[in-house]
Amino acid sequence: MEDRFSISVNPQPGKGELVVLFSGRERTMPGHNVGPKVPDYFLVHHVMSGKGTFQYMGKTYGLGKGDSFFIFPGELSRYTADKDDPWSYRWVGFRGDRADELLAGLDITPFKPVAKPIRHNRAAVLFHQIQRLLSNGGPGCDMRSGGMMRMLLAEYERESTQRAEGSGGKQSPIEQQVERTIRWLSVQYSQPISIEEMSRSLGYNRTHLSKMFKQYTGMTPMHFLLKIRMERAKLLLRERLTVEQVAASVGFTDPLYFSKQFKKWYDMSPTEYRLEADGRTMYDCND
């Protein structure tokens, strides 16, 4: 019988755009739980069979065979196998200078962490091949596993493309610009960002981008960024982090300015929100 758990590690991970760190598989026990945990690398799981739940960024996803879920560095996650039909999955941990950008191009972000490759069997084979490459080791292991990882991400690109085509046909250039900006902001929100830097990174004219973005979303890019940051801050305030740590995690270098913006957004200070959230949690537990 196949072992319930196995993992293979890249013996000499390099540096670059996309680097595989490790890969593994597991047939979980009923109710098996992982987390809460915060990794310092990217992690993708692909469900081979069974089902379970994935808790991420304040949402809970019910997942089954053929689904994949992505975990980003610095983000809190928890996932649990079903008690009656526990899942079996494969996973790959990776990092890279362009990992954020590559995933955002597939419409996979911390706010959209679940994907479903069209060819489940093909994706499963690639997960298996990556683990086998790492297990065998040898010269070229790092380069070959990185290439195989790109092939795996291409399977998610197929799904992203088909979903876009099925949602109303080809997007206009302006719609593509706005969508790309939203994905960029969803990934980079934890970094200090200016409209000039964003426009330069995306290759768009600042004035044109701001006008088109507001036309399609009803708010400016920087207001949309603040919305992302405030929503993320609410989630982090429920964890055992200081206000200073929460501020830094959502892109604010000045915790006092962060507190001022939070109160303006929610009509209460971060500390007041935390006390209210803790009170609701205690009530729910005792209800």
Side-chain angles (χ1 to χ4, degrees):
M1 176 181 285
E2 184 182 59
D3 293 338
R4 282 192 169 273
F5 175 90
S6 70
I7 186 169
S8 300
V9 178
N10 187 341
Q12 293 182 315
K15 297 180 179 180
E17 296 182 344
L18 197 63
V19 179
V20 173
L21 302 175
F22 56 85
S23 181
R25 59 174 173 76
E26 183 172 11
R27 290 189 297 117
T28 64
M29 299 295 288
H32 174 73
N33 177 72
V34 179
K37 68 175 185 177
V38 181
D40 58 0
Y41 47 79
F42 295 86
L43 187 60
V44 54
H45 287 72
H46 184 63
V47 183
M48 307 297 296
S49 63
K51 56 188 178 181
T53 58
F54 173 49
Q55 295 174 281
Y56 199 63
M57 299 291 282
K59 295 183 179 180
T60 299
Y61 304 86
L63 305 177
K65 180 179 178 179
D67 290 323
S68 296
F69 57 97
F70 288 76
I71 299 171
F72 286 69
E75 301 292 353
L76 187 73
S77 68
R78 180 173 183 170
Y79 40 105
T80 307
D82 187 77
K83 292 182 179 180
D84 298 318
D85 186 16
W87 52 17
S88 171
Y89 46 46
R90 289 186 175 273
W91 69 85
V92 174
F94 61 99
R95 68 184 181 205
D97 299 336
R98 292 191 61 213
D100 272 326
E101 180 184 344
L102 290 170
L103 292 178
L106 305 177
D107 201 21
I108 297 171
T109 72
F111 297 92
K112 293 183 179 180
V114 174
K116 191 181 186 78
I118 292 176
R119 302 190 296 181
H120 162 68
N121 291 336
R122 174 59 176 163
V125 167
L126 288 169
F127 273 92
H128 171 70
Q129 290 178 337
I130 290 173
Q131 183 177 4
R132 187 172 64 180
L133 272 174
L134 298 183
S135 178
N136 292 338
C141 168
D142 181 58
M143 183 178 295
R144 290 197 300 273
S145 61
M148 196 72 71
M149 187 67 198
R150 283 182 174 273
M151 293 174 64
L152 177 58
L153 292 182
E155 292 301 309
Y156 297 100
E157 189 276 334
R158 289 172 177 266
E159 188 274 340
S160 177
T161 299
Q162 180 168 300
R163 185 173 66 249
E165 293 175 348
S167 63
K170 187 177 180 180
Q171 290 180 310
S172 70
I174 292 176
E175 289 172 328
Q176 292 176 5
Q177 289 177 14
V178 172
E179 184 66 28
R180 186 183 178 200
T181 303
I182 290 174
R183 290 199 299 265
W184 192 88
L185 290 171
S186 297
V187 169
Q188 300 294 335
Y189 72 90
S190 62
Q191 304 300 319
I193 296 173
S194 67
I195 184 67
E196 291 83 3
E197 179 187 13
M198 181 183 67
S199 301
R200 185 170 57 253
S201 297
L202 294 171
Y204 300 145
N205 175 272
R206 170 186 169 174
T207 303
H208 171 75
L209 175 61
S210 296
K211 180 180 179 181
M212 292 302 99
F213 194 93
K214 188 169 184 178
Q215 178 181 327
Y216 277 84
T217 67
M219 61 184 76
T220 66
M222 301 313 288
H223 190 69
F224 187 86
L225 171 63
L226 183 59
K227 177 177 180 291
I228 292 175
R229 286 173 166 172
M230 293 298 102
E231 290 175 348
R232 179 61 179 143
K234 283 181 68 176
L235 297 175
L236 291 176
L237 285 168
R238 294 173 176 267
E239 307 302 328
R240 297 298 93 190
L241 300 175
T242 66
V243 172
E244 290 77 12
Q245 289 172 323
V246 172
S249 297
V250 296
F252 287 86
T253 56
D254 183 349
L256 292 179
Y257 181 67
F258 160 72
S259 295
K260 181 179 179 180
Q261 291 298 314
F262 189 94
K263 186 167 185 178
K264 184 184 295 184
W265 196 269
Y266 293 115
D267 199 30
M268 67 177 72
S269 71
T271 301
E272 290 170 338
Y273 173 79
R274 168 171 280 163
L275 290 173
E276 182 179 281
D278 287 346
R280 287 198 302 268
T281 300
M282 290 177 63
Y283 178 80
D284 292 340
C285 290
N286 294 324
D287 191 19

